[in-house]
Amino acid sequence: MGFVIAVDGPAASGKGTIASVLAKDFGYPFLDTGLLYRAVGVRLLDQGGDLDDAKAAQACAQNLDLAELERPDVRTRAAGEAASRVAVHGGVRAALLALQKDFAAQEPGAVLDGRDIGTVITPHAQAKLFVTATPEIRAERRWRQLSGQGEAVTYEDILADIRKRDERDSGRDSAPLAMAPDAVLLDTSEKTIDAAIDAARRIVEAARAKAGL
Ligand code: C5P
């Protein structure tokens, strides 16, 4: 088994940026698992389907083409909302499980970010981080990102989205957002992105030393 770095946390906590830098620094392939759920949601909406229709959502997840992860529209606000709605369906999560486990099983290791990586996908991961920040700070970061992409959104709308998404992701029955008992908490509220990355690097270096790497 390779060295797995599992990075979980709520929307816009900084986990994606941190995970991609860790992957580059330590030389592992990286999977942003949120993109899988986003692609399922976008595909279902494209078909004119209903996000609450568990069967239709599951069919989209089963036939997911990984090229769809590259579509720019999976990174929009609407795709994030659709992702969190299809992610509540157990059948969708089951359909995406093998792909994620296979990715994590690569040698010499892998980095995955999401909501249930340390708890469900790779409970055996040698390095687990739970990255978080206050809802207000996350909303500000997401607002800057989406405004930069040209989306016309207000900070207040994004804060409301974030609160709703936290509630849905943490409250669902199937693999809810949760910190694994053996994860290290990294609160980025008061940290610059560089300071957060440094802290994450130190957590991973400690885990690597423990694994004899
Ligand atoms: O991280 P990102 O904002 O791209 O995730 C979009 C949505 O996909 C999340 O709000 C969550 O509902 C879902 N998701 C999930 N499990 C993961 C990754 C994302 O349920 N491992």
Side-chain angles (χ1 to χ4, degrees):
M1 190 183 71
F3 187 82
V4 178
I5 304 176
V7 185
D8 288 303
S13 55
K15 66 181 185 315
T17 305
I18 289 173
S20 68
V21 172
L22 290 175
K24 208 177 282 158
D25 283 4
F26 292 99
Y28 298 129
F30 167 50
L31 180 63
D32 171 355
T33 65
L35 290 181
L36 301 171
Y37 295 90
R38 286 169 175 262
V40 172
V42 166
R43 181 183 249 236
L44 188 55
L45 289 175
D46 273 359
Q47 295 174 357
D50 174 359
L51 296 169
D52 297 325
D53 181 343
K55 278 222 165 74
Q58 185 178 344
C60 287
Q62 279 162 342
N63 300 317
L64 192 69
D65 176 353
L66 290 184
E68 287 170 68
L69 305 190
E70 310 295 330
R71 285 171 54 162
D73 58 350
V74 300
R75 299 187 185 271
T76 63
R77 176 183 174 204
E81 172 70 15
S84 117
R85 289 182 56 192
V86 296
V88 303
H89 305 307
V92 168
R93 308 198 72 84
L96 300 175
L97 193 68
L99 186 157
Q100 295 174 83
K101 281 188 181 284
D102 287 350
F103 189 91
Q106 294 178 78
E107 293 291 350
V111 181
L112 291 87
D113 94 47
R115 301 291 188 288
D116 61 342
I117 307 303
T119 51
V120 174
I121 306 296
T122 59
H124 60 276
Q126 295 91 335
K128 293 186 189 179
L129 286 81
F130 192 84
V131 183
T132 191
T134 64
E136 290 77 12
I137 286 181
R138 290 187 282 127
E140 194 184 325
R141 289 178 186 160
R142 184 50 56 91
W143 175 72
R144 284 184 196 284
Q145 177 203 344
L146 291 172
S147 306
Q149 286 172 205
E151 283 206 48
V153 283
T154 66
Y155 165 80
E156 286 72 22
D157 286 345
I158 298 298
L159 181 59
D161 277 6
I162 293 248
R163 290 192 193 283
K164 199 164 58 181
R165 201 114 83 79
D166 282 358
E167 213 175 286
R168 196 185 289 134
D169 288 350
S170 306
R172 70 185 174 217
D173 293 333
S174 188
L177 167 67
M179 181 169 150
D182 53 347
V184 180
L185 181 68
L186 177 53
D187 187 332
T188 65
S189 303
E190 308 277 313
K191 286 185 167 54
T192 61
I193 187 62
D194 286 344
I197 289 169
D198 278 348
R201 225 183 252 127
R202 282 196 295 274
I203 294 166
V204 172
E205 268 157 8
R208 282 169 68 82
K210 210 168 148 195
L213 292 172

